[in-house]
Amino acid sequence: MNPLHALRALRGVVTRELLRFVHQRERFVSALVRPLVWLFIFAAGFRSTLGLSPTPPYETYILYEDYITPGLVGMIQLFNGMQSSLSMVYDREMGNMRTLLVSPLPRWFLLVAKLLAGTLVSVLQAYAFLLVAWFYDVRAPIEGYLTLLPALVLAGLMLGALGLLLSSFIEQLENFAGVMNFVIFPMFFLSTALYPLWKLQESSQLLPVLAQYNPFSQAVELIRFALYGQFNAYACAYTLASLALFLSAAVIGYNPSKGMMQKKGGKQ
Amino acid sequence: MNVPMAPALFIDNVSLFYGEKLALDKVSFTVSRGECVILLGPNGAGKSSLFSLITRLYDTREGAIEIAGFNLKRHSTKALGRLGVVFQQSTLDMDLSVERNLLYHADLHGLGRKLANTRICEELERQAMFERRHETVRQLNGGHRRRVEIARALLHKPDVLLLDEPTVGLDMPSRKAIVDYVHQLSTTQNIAVLWATHLVDEIFATDQLIILHKGIIRYQGSVQQLLETTAMPSVASAFQHLTKGEK
């Protein structure tokens, strides 16, 4: 593969994704409003009922809003990953996907380009949310906003790869509701986004185990530590491994000889 | 760089199954540069399945496909780089401008911005669409969208142009304009054209013809030969005869 060709193709895919994002203002607004509702209403309501003892990376008692913010950043990326998946299925139904798939580049590269473009959008959304949270007095150390960037990129890539993988299985747009019920909600609620693991341990033996193995939990922890200028090596390794797994499976899913499309004789 | 003397498109014994159902049965033909080949077949004949194989949306499991001498399975990126495609269903992004759609395609084919802009101007001018380059695709009518898709398919100067029923849903003047333009292309730009259709009035007397029915090639050759072989007065009746009344 010619590197210059690859760079130009990447530019094309990223530009298209950004233009679509700019044109779909309601997508940006809803991506921002969703976590803000959780922050302004849900977190405010639960502030007094959920007592949080200091656990790393927090060195002292914190407000529930501070705890939930990294989880909501993860939520933005989770929803963005699924939104990318939805747009892949939509593109496939509308036929736009063919433009991408018949271009003279390896499938894996095209998927990675899509993934990078989607991640860029999710990082922009996450920072927009953190800016609003800042004015709401939910603030992390200044340097945390910088150390957060690589964590957001990695988490965004992992959740985007999961979205890509799901899109290779979903034949029709109508089936996407199942993704909400069986992927997004369980991943979100069965994670450390809203409550720490030890809180879950108080009420169940199974749930904390599931939450610990949930890749979304590890992505949230990676974000949480990074926002406070710290590095969580385990969360990073787990997120990286999940990314490798999801992306490999997505590449196989979109491979014309091995993927789901060939098996289904479906349209691409 | 093309493989010297290789046909622009070479289809060799290609078969395709959807589960147990046979969609294409040992299909073989070639298309040379400067030649316009009409792939004629009723709905469900296997035309779109064949196009999905040539564009590598599906993998070729039985048989081989070569584009400009490059085997599609072994050298897929080189082969696909020499292919221009107009799909049956529009593949333009409705919310992007005409120009932005073409730039996206140019980027995917690795064209530099300067060259891409020059080619976009050339192709849109040929299609009388240059003035509308800043409009979104959604603002265009069906005929104009098709013109943009043809301009896009030619942007990277392919050896082979595939058109899968590109005139479906268009009015007569738009259909005629596209049919005339594509026929000109094969001779003026020395492109190999493979045009899938079920409409016999899109065929020129000089075209080569492949009649596909239920995944099997029923006829291959010139229009003249078809009329002689079948002893029918017109392509329409010969087509009907070969497909046993099924249009």
Side-chain angles (χ1 to χ4, degrees):
Chain A
M1 186 171 47
N2 179 338
L4 191 59
H5 182 174
L7 275 176
R8 284 171 177 158
L10 182 62
R11 173 183 64 185
V13 175
V14 169
T15 307
R16 180 173 181 255
E17 200 66 31
L18 285 175
L19 284 171
R20 287 181 88 176
F21 181 65
V22 170
H23 290 156
Q24 298 170 344
R25 286 189 195 92
E26 29 330 321
R27 180 178 158 192
F28 176 69
V29 171
S30 69
L32 202 57
V33 165
R34 194 183 301 116
L36 287 175
V37 166
W38 281 83
L39 183 67
F40 294 159
I41 303 171
F42 181 86
F46 274 77
R47 182 196 290 179
S48 54
T49 54
L50 276 174
L52 296 170
S53 62
T55 48
Y58 309 109
E59 290 163 356
T60 180
Y61 288 95
I62 50 156
L63 287 176
Y64 184 56
E65 283 92 333
D66 291 308
Y67 179 83
I68 202 179
T69 294
L72 295 178
V73 169
M75 177 199 197
I76 290 171
Q77 295 202 294
L78 176 66
F79 273 82
N80 188 75
M82 297 311 127
Q83 176 82 37
S84 300
S85 162
L86 180 69
S87 81
M88 293 278 275
V89 177
Y90 179 81
D91 278 358
R92 208 167 59 218
E93 281 211 344
M94 295 296 119
N96 301 3
M97 175 78 88
R98 292 178 175 202
T99 312
L100 188 70
L101 295 182
V102 302
S103 58
L105 289 158
R107 274 295 154 90
W108 67 263
F109 175 81
L110 295 169
L111 292 176
V112 168
K114 268 291 241 192
L115 190 55
L116 287 170
T119 302
L120 177 62
V121 168
S122 82
V123 169
L124 293 175
Q125 287 174 343
Y127 275 113
F129 165 73
L130 287 171
L131 182 67
V132 179
W134 173 276
F135 289 111
Y136 188 62
D137 234 11
V138 178
R139 296 173 183 181
I142 285 290
E143 69 276 10
Y145 292 97
L146 266 183
T147 51
L148 177 66
L149 182 60
L152 284 181
V153 171
L154 181 55
L157 286 173
M158 187 273 282
L159 294 167
L162 176 63
L164 278 181
L165 174 61
L166 291 170
S167 71
S168 73
F169 285 96
I170 301 166
E171 277 185 272
Q172 290 173 323
L173 220 48
E174 292 78 34
N175 301 346
F176 205 79
V179 173
M180 290 294 288
N181 291 332
F182 295 107
V183 180
I184 297 184
F185 290 149
M187 270 190 108
F188 182 61
F189 290 113
L190 203 57
S191 75
T192 56
L194 300 178
Y195 18 73
L197 269 183
W198 63 264
K199 270 282 178 196
L200 275 175
Q201 279 160 350
E202 285 176 359
S203 52
S204 165
Q205 283 189 322
L206 177 66
L207 291 181
V209 176
L210 293 175
Q212 202 168 10
Y213 288 111
N214 177 357
F216 180 65
S217 283
Q218 299 306 330
V220 167
E221 290 312 301
L222 182 69
I223 291 168
R224 190 186 307 285
F225 276 73
L227 189 57
Y228 288 84
Q230 295 179 41
F231 178 62
N232 186 329
Y234 176 77
C236 181
Y238 200 95
T239 309
L240 260 174
S242 305
L243 165 63
L245 179 72
F246 295 150
L247 186 56
S248 310
V251 170
I252 292 170
Y254 275 95
N255 185 317
S257 60
K258 296 178 186 146
M260 295 304 294
M261 297 303 150
Q262 178 88 348
K263 283 175 193 154
K264 291 180 214 164
K267 54 188 173 181
Q268 293 203 20
Chain B
M1 196 173 68
N2 299 340
V3 175
M5 302 305 288
L9 179 64
F10 177 54
I11 312 282
D12 183 29
N13 260 320
V14 166
S15 296
L16 177 71
F17 289 85
Y18 291 130
E20 296 289 300
K21 194 184 165 220
L22 179 67
L24 292 170
D25 188 13
K26 295 187 176 67
V27 169
S28 297
F29 62 88
T30 60
V31 186
S32 304
R33 287 171 187 80
E35 194 176 40
C36 185
V37 174
I38 305 291
L39 182 64
L40 189 63
N43 291 330
K47 304 187 295 292
S48 293
S49 294
L50 181 61
F51 272 40
S52 292
L53 289 173
I54 300 173
T55 51
R56 212 180 171 239
L57 291 176
Y58 303 159
D59 206 34
T60 315
R61 291 183 177 175
E62 289 181 34
I65 296 174
E66 287 181 9
I67 300 166
F70 293 107
N71 184 288
L72 189 58
K73 210 165 181 177
R74 287 199 298 274
H75 306 288
S76 59
T77 55
K78 283 181 177 168
L80 289 174
R82 279 144 186 89
L83 193 64
V85 193
V86 178
F87 287 106
Q88 188 175 354
Q89 192 182 9
S90 173
T91 58
L92 295 167
D93 193 318
M94 303 289 270
D95 297 316
L96 295 186
S97 69
V98 167
E99 188 176 48
R100 195 39 82 179
N101 266 286
L102 297 185
L103 279 172
Y104 175 56
H105 178 87
D107 280 339
L108 289 177
H109 281 263
L111 301 185
R113 203 32 64 92
K114 201 176 163 188
L115 178 62
N117 283 325
T118 310
R119 296 242 182 112
I120 287 169
C121 288
E122 280 172 15
E123 292 302 334
L124 287 180
E125 271 171 2
R126 271 197 204 117
Q127 302 272 3
M129 290 294 294
F130 183 72
E131 300 301 321
R132 308 193 67 177
R133 68 192 183 282
H134 297 308
E135 291 180 31
T136 61
V137 172
R138 201 177 289 281
Q139 291 172 276
L140 306 179
N141 66 31
H144 288 156
R145 286 179 195 171
R146 276 304 186 200
R147 288 197 214 175
V148 175
E149 293 208 80
I150 294 171
R152 184 180 63 176
L154 296 170
L155 214 55
H156 57 286
K157 304 252 180 248
D159 292 284
V160 181
L161 177 64
L162 298 184
L163 300 111
D164 188 4
E165 309 212 25
T167 59
V168 165
L170 302 185
D171 56 22
M172 274 310 286
S174 300
R175 273 182 60 197
K176 188 177 177 330
I178 289 174
V179 171
D180 290 347
Y181 181 71
V182 172
H183 276 88
Q184 268 176 33
L185 270 179
S186 59
T187 47
T188 57
Q189 295 196 33
N190 201 31
I191 296 178
V193 174
L194 180 63
W195 176 302
T197 184
H198 63 277
L199 303 167
V200 289
D201 58 348
E202 292 179 349
I203 301 165
F204 282 20
T206 51
D207 290 337
Q208 289 296 304
L209 207 55
I210 295 170
I211 296 181
L212 190 69
H213 182 51
K214 293 183 177 171
I216 299 166
I217 290 185
R218 302 295 170 101
Y219 173 78
Q220 253 191 95
S222 66
V223 173
Q224 189 58 37
Q225 276 175 324
L226 173 73
L227 300 180
E228 286 169 12
T229 314
T230 56
M232 289 289 166
S234 65
V235 174
S237 50
F239 175 51
Q240 203 164 14
H241 170 72
L242 287 171
T243 56
K244 299 207 177 357
E246 190 180 337
K247 267 201 176 178

